[in-house]
Amino acid sequence: MNPISQLFKNKKERILNIYFTAGYPNLDDTTDIILSLQKAGVDLIEVGIPYSDPLADGTTIQDSSQTALHNGISLQLALDQIESIKDQVTVPLIVMGYYNQFLQFGMEQFVQRLVACGISGVIIPDLPMDYYESHYKELFQSNNIAVNFLITPETSPLRIQKVDQLSEGFIYMVSRSSITGAASDISDEQKQYFERISNMHLNTPRLIGFGIHDKTSFDMACQYVQGAIIGSAFIRYLKEYGVEGIGEFVDRIFDN
Amino acid sequence: MTNYKINKQGFYGKFGGAFIPEMLHANISNLQNQYLKIMEDPDFQRQFKKLLRDYVGRPTPLYFAERLSAHYNTQIYLKREDLCHTGAHKINNTIGQIILAQKLGKSRIIAETGAGQHGVATATVCALMGIECIIYMGEKDIERQAPNVSRMKMLGAEVRPAKSGSKTLKDATNEAIRDWIDNPVDTHYIIGSVVGPHPYPDMVARFQSVISEEIRYQLIDKTGKAYPDHIIACVGGGSNAAGAIYHYIEEKNCNIILCEAAGKGIDTDHSAATSILGSQGIIHGSLTILMQDQEGQITEPYSISAGLDYPGIGPLHAALIDGQRAEVHSVTDDEALKAGYQLSKLEGIIPALETAHAFAVLDKRSFDKDETVVINLSGRGDKDLKTYIAHL
């Protein structure tokens, strides 16, 4: 069984997935960040591969990607960094990046490298589901790499069912129609959307992402689904407090 | 001959498609399902044609350029898109899309712009229809296309600077796409070129195809010929080129010549010659040819002309180039400036810097004396005076 699916089987609530940008704030921070997040008790780690034109990301992640690219990060290097600590990592890892990066790398080589680095899943926001199904499903499935698709408040019920069929690890529930990454409270409209999805009784577990930035928003998300994803808020924290601050950041989210 | 018609999934052969994040899916799939239905509706066609005639000033003339023809010893005709309202072909598309946006029930318009021509054309139709308008423009372009920025503001549009990346057209497009993600319900995104996810390349090409539709009957009228021997257009994303060649794509005896911006030269780091420097990949939701490094990071292009300063090319053009249906030339800044000055002096027409790239091809290859050459004069040069004068 894929380690991500195993995680959702073993832990039914309050799953914390932290996103960070590889090569940020410093080129060599990638490995320290993974190990610190693991030590702090995070359940899943999403490693963002910086891209020049990250269409689905807000300003914070865009800026961190620019800095990381400037630092000299590349897909090749990020994977090498992950591979170097492979034996110390027990938390399932997910790689997030844009289709063109993997297309240029060569999709088959990319998947082989994921396996070699012990990575369990991918998020490729601009790879359409249908295209995945006809071109890559076989490749990912035969290598036991989970592909996690997104849904938004605008995604139709029919399409959500398709996402449910195709997603291997979890469904990434985009909390709102906004990618600005700004911190705000969860609105009634969003709550209705969360309830609507809960009532669909999908097979695949869900994580809520976008706008989750502190304990309050994390707790709120966890009322509806098995856990949540924090990205921009973590990047901002890293920028201010560096790798040493990771334990405290995670403690504050989990603190009961 | 390869078929260059688009298929149901939005591909011209292997190029095109809609590689978009889920956040855009509802809007894009709605457009995919609706655009042909709306465009083919007689009521839409009536409204579109009426505005093109009475507001844009169509048909634009097909003008026999006598002195230019004598200079190059061939028969050169100019399709005068520079005489369209707002000074370029861009308005053909914005008129079409604004009516379409109304039929879709949208109340807010966003657009990207490079040279500012598409921004002005969008701001214009939004003023015409009384719809809110936000234009994204690279910070660098805002600086070098100041007259168009003032025009957009005067027309009531808000101009938002794109400050990421190279601060040019590519980044303005990214920002516009992000705005659309943030405002999925009330907003329509008027893309200005034959780029982006399906159905944009096809939709914009169809709106611009009025250009070749007119050339066809005007040329028959003037010369008796059903098609020109050569049709020439500049290409950034490629909307004026798509419009000028649209009805001739299947006519294999009509040679298609596309002119890309070589910037300071294709062997320098300052170029936008996509077909030579680029390779296959994804840009702005389309599988096409783009300038990128080995890791798939999109390269920052350069051209003196803001409208051609784009690292990609529309998927239709990628297919035409890949299938060797089109002949491509790369034109440097200096060659374009020289061609712009020459056209001004020989014909009394100051072309846009983008358009000047198309005229530079006259020095790059020869044409027979009896051959009919149509050049799409896509825009006028008022906006570029500062640049022209600086290189006087």
Side-chain angles (χ1 to χ4, degrees):
Chain A
M1 187 181 260
N2 182 288
I4 301 171
S5 306
Q6 192 67 54
L7 166 73
F8 281 93
K9 223 178 148 192
N10 297 343
K11 190 174 173 183
K12 296 292 179 197
E13 53 178 24
R14 299 184 66 75
I15 289 175
L16 177 61
N17 178 355
I18 296 274
Y19 168 97
F20 77 97
T21 305
Y24 178 88
N26 303 299
L27 184 61
D28 298 327
D29 285 342
T30 312
T31 48
D32 282 350
I33 293 173
I34 292 172
L35 295 173
S36 303
L37 284 170
Q38 174 171 285
K39 195 176 163 211
V42 162
D43 302 295
L44 270 169
I45 300 173
E46 196 180 322
V47 186
I49 309 296
Y51 189 51
S52 57
D53 293 70
L55 281 184
D57 286 306
T59 326
T60 305
I61 292 174
Q62 280 177 55
D63 291 347
S64 67
S65 299
Q66 279 296 321
T67 305
L69 286 171
H70 189 76
N71 289 345
I73 197 69
S74 64
L75 174 57
Q76 185 82 56
L77 181 55
L79 292 173
D80 289 348
Q81 289 173 338
I82 294 169
E83 194 174 20
S84 74
I85 51 163
K86 186 185 156 188
D87 296 337
Q88 302 167 60
V89 179
T90 50
V91 171
L93 297 181
I94 298 164
V95 160
M96 184 270 178
Y98 288 82
Y99 179 39
N100 196 46
Q101 301 176 279
F102 309 137
L103 189 63
Q104 303 308 324
F105 195 86
M107 214 52 154
E108 291 205 10
Q109 281 161 284
F110 173 57
V111 172
Q112 298 313 325
R113 286 291 289 141
L114 292 177
V115 173
C117 297
I119 293 160
S120 305
V122 291
I123 296 173
I124 312 173
D126 60 342
L127 178 62
M129 230 179 352
D130 298 341
Y131 202 82
Y132 162 77
E133 196 176 15
S134 56
H135 287 71
Y136 301 121
K137 188 180 158 189
E138 186 64 37
L139 175 66
F140 281 93
Q141 284 192 344
S142 61
N143 286 284
N144 199 24
I145 300 290
V147 180
N148 309 287
F149 288 98
L150 278 62
I151 62 170
T152 78
E154 260 67 53
T155 307
S156 70
L158 206 68
R159 199 168 160 78
I160 292 173
Q161 272 155 11
K162 180 105 194 256
V163 170
D164 191 29
Q165 280 168 25
L166 278 182
S167 290
E168 291 288 328
F170 60 90
I171 295 173
Y172 191 132
M173 243 177 102
V174 178
S175 71
R176 60 187 183 199
S177 308
S178 169
I179 54 166
T180 48
S184 62
D185 291 335
I186 288 170
S187 69
D188 289 344
E189 207 179 336
Q190 283 173 289
K191 288 177 193 166
Q192 283 165 21
Y193 155 61
F194 299 158
E195 272 162 23
R196 174 163 62 84
I197 304 302
S198 295
N199 291 334
M200 287 184 75
H201 303 293
L202 303 173
N203 294 317
T204 319
R206 275 97 51 215
L207 293 181
I208 291 177
F210 285 64
I212 310 302
H213 60 281
D214 58 6
K215 180 175 155 50
T216 314
S217 47
F218 179 70
D219 289 349
M220 176 71 87
C222 290
Q223 287 176 21
Y224 299 92
V225 293
Q226 272 174 260
I229 305 161
I230 300 181
S232 296
F234 179 67
I235 302 280
R236 282 191 292 268
Y237 196 88
L238 257 187
K239 189 180 178 185
E240 201 169 340
Y241 300 101
V243 178
E244 298 74 35
I246 289 177
E248 200 187 325
F249 180 86
V250 175
D251 284 349
R252 279 195 211 164
I253 303 293
F254 274 139
D255 186 45
N256 288 307
Chain B
M1 194 167 148
T2 321
N3 190 342
Y4 294 106
K5 286 211 167 64
I6 197 156
N7 73 12
K8 269 197 181 131
Q9 286 74 42
F11 283 90
Y12 301 91
K14 60 185 164 188
F15 299 106
F19 297 88
I20 48 160
E22 181 63 26
M23 297 83 139
L24 287 173
H25 185 269
N27 265 319
I28 292 292
S29 68
N30 185 37
L31 259 188
Q32 288 171 351
N33 296 330
Q34 299 284 329
Y35 83 111
L36 287 179
K37 247 181 268 173
I38 292 175
M39 286 174 72
E40 283 161 6
D41 179 63
D43 183 55
F44 178 95
Q45 280 298 324
R46 249 192 317 277
Q47 206 180 341
F48 181 51
K49 284 181 178 155
K50 184 165 178 253
L51 282 171
L52 286 185
R53 185 188 67 218
D54 299 342
Y55 188 72
V56 175
R58 303 204 73 91
T60 58
L62 183 70
Y63 162 71
F64 176 61
E66 203 173 327
R67 296 189 68 210
L68 194 68
S69 297
H71 187 82
Y72 287 103
N73 198 27
T74 189
Q75 311 298 313
I76 302 172
Y77 290 81
L78 308 181
K79 181 57 174 167
R80 297 294 307 275
E81 292 300 295
D82 60 317
L83 295 178
C84 287
H85 178 44
T86 71
H89 70 289
K90 290 289 186 190
I91 197 161
N92 302 326
N93 169 47
T94 60
I95 291 273
Q97 285 204 48
I98 197 81
I99 305 171
L100 186 119
Q102 286 182 318
K103 306 265 179 207
L104 291 169
K106 303 287 185 175
S107 59
R108 179 176 176 271
I109 295 294
I110 53 170
E112 85 297 337
T113 196
Q117 292 302 98
H118 175 57
V120 168
T122 304
T124 298
V125 297
C126 287
L128 179 69
M129 302 297 185
I131 295 182
E132 184 189 355
C133 178
I134 288 131
I135 306 291
Y136 289 89
M137 188 169 187
E139 208 168 42
K140 186 174 155 194
D141 293 336
I142 288 180
E143 203 173 298
R144 58 179 165 173
Q145 302 288 342
N148 273 344
V149 176
S150 305
R151 258 177 222 126
M152 286 183 267
K153 287 181 179 166
M154 190 166 172
L155 291 160
E158 182 191 336
V159 180
R160 290 190 189 165
K163 295 177 179 175
S164 57
S166 53
K167 303 178 176 60
T168 59
L169 182 53
K170 161 179 92 81
D171 312 286
T173 308
N174 289 344
E175 291 309 317
I177 290 172
R178 291 194 184 103
D179 181 308
W180 208 18
I181 288 174
D182 285 354
N183 299 282
V185 179
D186 63 342
T187 299
H188 175 68
Y189 177 18
I190 301 190
I191 294 186
S193 194
V194 288
V195 301
H198 174 61
Y200 279 102
D202 185 47
M203 181 166 75
V204 176
R206 282 170 188 263
F207 284 136
Q208 292 294 359
S209 71
V210 65
I211 301 173
S212 63
E213 191 183 313
E214 288 174 8
I215 296 174
R216 201 157 60 162
Y217 73 76
Q218 289 170 325
L219 194 69
I220 292 170
D221 193 40
K222 284 186 195 307
T223 68
K225 290 183 175 178
Y227 53 87
D229 297 299
H230 305 273
I231 184 138
I232 305 175
C234 66
V235 109
S239 72
N240 93 78
I245 67 173
Y246 196 86
H247 289 88
Y248 297 121
I249 292 174
E250 300 295 322
E251 180 50 73
K252 64 177 189 295
N253 291 320
C254 175
N255 184 37
I256 294 170
I257 302 178
L258 305 175
C259 303
E260 292 183 329
K264 292 182 177 163
I266 52 168
D267 46 3
T268 69
D269 288 340
H270 293 81
S271 184
T274 306
S275 78
I276 293 170
L277 303 172
S279 54
Q280 289 179 30
I282 311 280
I283 181 169
H284 297 137
S286 183
L287 177 56
T288 184
I289 300 172
L290 69 142
M291 289 165 56
Q292 58 186 332
D293 67 14
Q294 286 186 328
E295 289 256 330
Q297 307 285 350
I298 299 175
T299 315
E300 295 183 1
Y302 164 83
S303 165
I304 194 170
S305 131
L308 304 183
D309 200 349
Y310 183 70
I313 189 170
L316 167 62
H317 298 301
L320 292 170
I321 293 167
D322 191 59
Q324 295 185 313
R325 173 67 186 91
E327 175 185 324
V328 191
H329 292 270
S330 38
V331 173
T332 63
D333 291 351
D334 289 344
E335 290 165 340
L337 285 163
K338 190 178 154 218
Y341 271 103
Q342 179 175 266
L343 184 68
S344 306
K345 289 191 177 129
L346 283 178
E347 294 291 345
I349 299 169
I350 301 174
L353 271 173
E354 290 76 19
T355 313
H357 285 72
F359 284 84
V361 87
L362 293 168
D363 283 322
K364 290 189 168 281
R365 74 181 316 280
S366 58
F367 298 94
D368 290 346
K369 189 180 185 316
D370 301 331
E371 282 187 320
T372 304
V373 178
V374 172
I375 303 178
N376 197 32
L377 215 175
S378 55
R380 68 175 85 124
D382 308 31
K383 69 184 177 58
D384 297 313
L385 282 186
K386 202 174 132 192
T387 311
Y388 274 128
I389 290 164
H391 291 83
L392 199 65

